[in-house]
Amino acid sequence: MEASRLSSTKPVQALKPTKTVSLDEDVTKASDALPLPLHLTNAAFFTLFFSVVYFLLSSWREKIRTSTPLHVVTFSEIVAIIAFVASFIYLLGFFGIDFVQSLVFRPTPDVWISEDEEEENEVLLRKEDARKVPCAQALDCSLPSLPPQAPIVTAQKVFDEKPVTVLTEEDEEIIKSVVAGTTPSYSLESKLGDCKRAAAIRREALQRLTGKSLSGLPLEGFDYESILGQCCEMPVGYVQIPVGIAGPLLLNGREFSVPMATTEGCLVASTNRGFKAIHLSGGATCVLLKDGMTRAPVVRFGTAKRAADLKFYLEDPDSFETLSVVFNRSSRFGRLQSIKCAIAGKNLYMRFTCSTGDAMGMNMVSKGVQNVLDFLQTDFPDMDVLGISGNFCSDKKPSAVNWIEGRGKSVVCEAIIPGDVVRKVLKTSVESLVELNMLKNLTGSAMAGALGGFNAHASNIVSAVFIATGQDPAQNVESSHCITMMEAVNDGKDLHVSVTMPSIEVGTVGGGTQLASQSACLNLLGVKGASKETPGANSRTLATIVAGAVLAGELSLMSAISAGQLVNSHMKYNRSSKDVSKASS
């Protein structure tokens, strides 16, 4: 019977050993070693910290007032610095070391699980011993069978078999409040203080609201702190754009490897062929004609005569010096160059042009214009400012004023390509290129009523370089204004090619240029950040590089069209027989 009872007993799971702590055990905390109670110690270090900060600031202010070098310190200042460092290190424990102890001595999840299991086992054993039959009859030496334990599942979201950020219970509550509309999505960064966490929560809330998956849009691997307040609001991820390298471009005696961010096949390869032709021809020459960003506010008067009075005042050379002083207060780099006005009835449009250093300069010129408008209100109190921008600037729109007057950097770039290079590298002839340029870029564009579009595909190259280097992609509109000229020289043997671009709007500081990837591309070109020697030199160099790249792109595309290679090259580089969906899986 004993054997039958033993054999009929179901196997049970072995209990996990639990960690037992004796009640008599003395648990000592680090704070017990302090001579004062913890709250008094905290108060003492707070007092010490702010006292030495006040002492050091007062001492340094006195040194500045008496022109004493700051690095010359007295004994009392050395003691104060040491006390400052000591109190600062202590305060890093977030109002004392008790908070740190709670983190250090926090029990692991295994301890809690073991204690819960031990309590359950004791309850089961007590129930098993509460029998109503004689002890001899109820004797059973086998261990009681325990109910199967549910597996512990950790929450982990997986999209396309790639792990992403795991959301906590607190995050789940925030997601629900965003979905319900009680928490605005735009306020997550300020409420949480963690830009990446805010992006993850906003992303999950968006997926639940729309019922659409964002699994193909990356979230990890991006510094969301870097875009806060300057590049993008309410981010949920980032778009990946491949960056290709074309070059070297031999321009004004220097070589540049040009980064191009694009998803158009054949573009980088075609531009690279143009670079090769230019390099074999001895390089290209680029000249900066003008450098000035514009902003044109619109104001209204009661009569057209009053609008004309302000126009005459602004265009008077005697007034320009006064207005320049007012304008130039806005920045140490912004310098007013000119003011041109246009009247439409009783409305006046004032086009301010100023230098902006290495910045693209839209914000800089806007601040200067605002200063002038405030100044003009004194002599023209009836002036009604309708807008800081009246589209006479003109920004992010094709316009005749930019085509004629220029905006940003105005440049012209040229090269002479020998006939041998035209035939061997570009696979065409000088005569064919000259004729095609006249019929396509000049006559054809005129037939289409083009405005600044007397070229083959300048915007292709401008957009690719702009995205790679952190420029404003929307300013590709006016930055791509370009007229391409081709002419046979040296008795028709060689080709003279040039591009004239009156409004290239670029900068090497501010905006997207500060992001890591775009900053790396600027560094590759040697124009990262502001020029320390000559303010504005880096942005002007970048403008010439853009023009040189456009020259190469125009030369290569026109040659491909002339030789009848356009379709074949695009079928080779812009079409793929590869199944991308299978490759990604």
Side-chain angles (χ1 to χ4, degrees):
M1 283 183 67
E2 188 68 35
S4 64
R5 273 200 303 269
L6 290 173
S7 61
S8 63
T9 303
K10 294 181 180 180
V12 297
Q13 295 178 347
L15 296 177
K16 291 183 180 180
T18 59
K19 180 181 179 181
T20 59
V21 180
S22 173
L23 297 176
D24 299 332
E25 185 177 350
D26 182 18
V27 180
T28 304
K29 293 185 177 181
S31 58
D32 295 340
L34 297 174
L36 296 174
L38 190 58
H39 66 281
L40 294 180
T41 306
N42 288 338
F45 273 97
F46 262 112
T47 305
L48 177 64
F49 177 79
F50 288 107
S51 299
V52 296
V53 167
Y54 177 78
F55 172 77
L56 290 174
L57 290 177
S58 301
S59 176
W60 290 340
R61 182 180 62 182
E62 183 66 20
K63 287 184 178 181
I64 293 173
R65 191 179 67 82
T66 59
S67 300
T68 305
L70 295 178
H71 63 274
V72 178
V73 294
T74 63
F75 178 76
S76 59
E77 290 174 337
I78 295 176
V79 174
I81 293 174
I82 295 174
F84 169 78
V85 174
S87 59
F88 179 74
I89 293 175
Y90 178 85
L91 293 177
L92 281 180
F94 192 67
F95 302 106
I97 61 177
D98 203 31
F99 175 76
V100 178
Q101 289 177 173
S102 66
L103 297 177
V104 174
F105 294 102
R106 179 183 295 172
T108 62
D110 292 339
V111 173
W112 300 116
I113 294 173
S114 300
E115 291 179 356
D116 292 341
E117 290 177 350
E118 185 177 11
E119 291 178 0
E120 292 177 1
N121 295 336
E122 289 176 357
V123 171
L124 289 171
L125 289 174
R126 284 197 297 268
K127 288 183 178 180
E128 191 68 25
D129 289 341
R131 298 181 175 92
K132 297 181 181 180
V133 295
C135 184
Q137 296 180 13
L139 183 61
D140 190 350
C141 296
S142 61
L143 290 174
S145 60
L146 298 177
Q149 202 172 27
I152 299 174
V153 181
T154 58
Q156 184 176 13
K157 294 190 174 184
V158 177
F159 290 108
D160 296 340
E161 300 181 357
K162 295 180 181 179
V164 299
T165 304
V166 179
L167 301 175
T168 63
E169 292 183 2
E170 182 183 359
D171 292 343
E172 184 65 29
E173 294 299 323
I174 299 175
I175 292 171
K176 291 179 180 178
S177 66
V178 173
V179 173
T182 56
T183 298
S185 178
Y186 63 81
S187 66
L188 290 176
E189 279 79 5
S190 59
K191 289 180 180 295
L192 300 177
D194 186 338
C195 292
K196 181 180 178 182
R197 182 185 174 199
I201 291 174
R202 181 181 297 111
R203 177 192 182 100
E204 180 62 26
L206 178 64
Q207 291 183 126
R208 296 184 187 182
L209 280 170
T210 62
K212 307 294 183 181
S213 173
L214 293 176
S215 59
L217 185 69
L219 175 68
E220 303 291 335
F222 188 81
D223 182 12
Y224 293 94
E225 303 284 346
S226 64
I227 65 174
L228 181 64
Q230 69 171 4
C231 290
C232 182
E233 299 78 35
M234 296 191 289
V236 294
Y238 59 96
V239 174
Q240 296 169 310
I241 301 179
V243 177
I245 294 295
L249 164 64
L250 183 56
L251 182 68
N252 293 339
R254 296 175 59 188
E255 289 188 347
F256 300 95
S257 295
V258 182
M260 302 175 66
T262 180
T263 56
E264 179 183 349
C266 204
L267 180 61
V268 177
S270 177
T271 308
N272 192 65
R273 183 175 74 150
F275 284 158
K276 179 180 179 182
I278 293 173
H279 202 289
L280 292 174
S281 305
T285 302
C286 193
V287 180
L288 184 79
L289 306 174
K290 192 187 300 184
D291 182 8
M293 182 49 62
T294 64
R295 175 60 85 196
V298 55
V299 298
R300 175 183 292 171
F301 289 89
T303 64
K305 183 181 181 303
R306 286 292 291 164
D309 290 341
L310 179 55
K311 178 181 185 298
F312 295 146
Y313 173 79
L314 293 174
E315 294 180 348
D316 186 354
D318 295 335
S319 304
F320 183 79
E321 184 176 354
T322 301
L323 296 175
S324 295
V325 173
V326 175
F327 184 98
N328 296 344
R329 292 173 186 167
S330 61
S331 170
R332 59 195 178 104
F333 295 111
R335 294 293 177 265
L336 184 63
Q337 296 175 346
S338 65
I339 306 174
K340 292 190 177 182
C341 300
I343 284 184
K346 56 183 182 178
N347 304 304
L348 179 65
Y349 298 83
M350 304 169 283
R351 193 171 192 260
F352 292 77
T353 305
C354 81
S355 61
T356 57
D358 282 304
M360 184 271 290
M362 287 294 299
N363 293 332
M364 191 183 300
V365 66
S366 296
K367 289 191 294 183
V369 169
Q370 187 62 57
N371 287 349
V372 173
L373 292 176
D374 295 339
F375 173 79
L376 292 175
Q377 290 282 179
T378 304
D379 295 329
F380 296 87
D382 54 337
M383 179 181 69
D384 183 15
V385 179
L386 300 181
I388 190 70
S389 174
N391 271 9
F392 189 48
C393 312
S394 170
D395 187 40
K396 301 179 176 72
K397 290 166 285 291
S399 63
V401 68
N402 288 344
W403 177 241
I404 297 171
E405 297 290 340
R407 188 171 194 256
K409 277 72 174 171
S410 301
V411 298
V412 58
C413 189
E414 65 177 348
I416 296 178
I417 312 300
D420 289 343
V421 175
V422 173
R423 289 187 295 272
K424 295 179 181 178
V425 178
L426 301 176
K427 311 300 181 183
T428 185
S429 64
V430 174
E431 297 81 3
S432 299
L433 281 175
V434 172
E435 183 180 22
L436 178 63
N437 184 73
M438 187 268 292
L439 293 176
K440 171 182 167 62
N441 290 340
L442 304 182
T443 308
S445 296
M447 293 291 291
L451 180 59
F454 297 89
N455 57 81
H457 71 148
S459 62
N460 246 341
I461 286 83
V462 172
S463 296
V465 177
F466 268 33
I467 296 173
T469 57
Q471 311 304 312
D472 188 342
Q475 290 184 322
N476 162 69
V477 176
E478 61 267 38
S479 297
S480 296
H481 280 349
C482 171
I483 182 169
T484 301
M485 304 291 292
M486 293 186 182
E487 180 183 349
V489 295
N490 299 330
D491 298 327
K493 296 179 181 178
D494 303 328
L495 176 72
H496 180 275
V497 56
S498 67
V499 292
T500 305
M501 307 179 70
S503 51
I504 300 178
E505 299 168 359
V506 293
T508 57
V509 296
T513 64
Q514 301 179 76
L515 300 180
S517 301
Q518 290 82 342
S519 179
C521 290
L522 289 172
N523 187 58
L524 176 66
L525 294 170
V527 295
K528 176 183 176 181
S531 173
K532 297 180 180 179
E533 293 79 16
T534 306
N538 282 351
S539 62
R540 290 192 286 268
T541 300
L542 179 58
T544 62
I545 293 172
V546 171
V550 169
L551 181 70
E554 291 287 282
L555 190 60
S556 182
L557 177 58
M558 292 294 290
S559 299
I561 296 175
S562 174
Q565 299 172 340
L566 180 65
V567 175
N568 291 335
S569 60
H570 273 76
M571 292 303 295
K572 179 179 179 181
Y573 292 103
N574 205 18
R575 294 290 184 272
S576 176
S577 59
K578 183 178 180 180
D579 191 338
V580 180
S581 61
K582 292 182 179 179
S584 62
S585 62

